């Protein structure tokens, strides 16, 4: 179980980093490299997979002190994905602001969760 949990943790971190690469999509470097474009393109799929792998990680971790910060981070991710579903119904500028704020909040919460898990 511990190996599977460590694997889910690592996969979740990799998916988070892949999600964070999305702003590079319009950069000059990404336009020149097709491999980088291909890696960045499935941003939505990365987000959904992150939700699933982080849920599995949380279930496998059990009842530990960092569980509360992990639940809060997971809920923030869930809210972020729910708002992503409203992309077509909102003004692009408003949706983008909400998406960016929630993304930064999610990253901060994950950092808090990691620090909390390591310190205890």
């Amino acid at each position: 179980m511990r190996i599977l949990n460590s694997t889910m943790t690592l996969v979740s971190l990799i998916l988070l980093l892949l999600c964070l690469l999305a702003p590079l999509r319009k950069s000059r470097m990404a336009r020149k490299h097709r491999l980088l474009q291909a890696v960045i393109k499935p941003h939505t799929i990365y987000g959904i997979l992150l939700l699933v792998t982080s849920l599995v990680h949380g279930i496998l971790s059990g009842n530990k002190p960092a569980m509360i910060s992990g639940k809060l981070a997971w809920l923030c991710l869930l809210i972020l994905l729910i708002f992503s579903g409203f992309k077509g119904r909102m003004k692009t500028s408003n949706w983008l602001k909400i998406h960016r704020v929630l993304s930064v909040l999610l990253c901060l919460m994950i950092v808090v969760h990691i620090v909390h898990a390591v310190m205890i």
Side-chain angles (χ1 to χ4, degrees):
M1 281 291 214
R2 185 165 168 85
I3 294 172
L4 183 58
N5 188 26
S6 297
T7 304
M8 287 295 114
T9 303
L10 181 63
V11 170
S12 294
L13 285 172
I14 291 169
L15 287 169
L16 178 67
L17 292 174
L18 287 170
C19 285
L20 292 175
L21 289 177
L24 294 177
R25 188 179 311 153
K26 295 181 182 177
S27 71
R28 185 178 299 165
M29 182 177 64
R31 289 182 186 162
K32 290 181 182 178
H33 297 88
R34 291 185 185 209
L35 179 64
L36 186 57
Q37 284 179 340
V39 169
I40 295 172
K41 190 173 183 176
H43 177 73
T44 306
I45 295 170
Y46 294 151
I48 293 168
L49 288 174
L50 177 59
L51 186 73
V52 173
T53 58
S54 60
L55 178 64
V56 172
H57 161 68
I59 291 169
L60 293 175
S61 292
N63 192 9
K64 294 186 179 178
M67 178 178 67
I68 299 298
S69 60
K71 283 182 181 178
L72 291 174
W74 191 83
L75 285 173
C76 183
L77 176 60
L78 183 62
I79 292 168
L80 178 64
L81 288 173
I82 289 170
F83 267 104
S84 295
F86 293 110
K87 182 179 181 181
R89 298 180 184 165
M90 295 176 71
K91 271 179 132 180
T92 303
S93 60
N94 292 342
W95 178 85
L96 196 55
K97 286 177 190 176
I98 292 170
H99 194 73
R100 286 179 180 162
V101 168
L102 287 172
S103 298
V104 169
L105 181 63
L106 174 64
C107 290
L108 291 174
M109 293 177 88
I110 289 174
V111 168
V112 167
H113 174 62
I114 292 171
V115 169
H116 190 208
V118 170
M119 294 188 78
I120 294 179

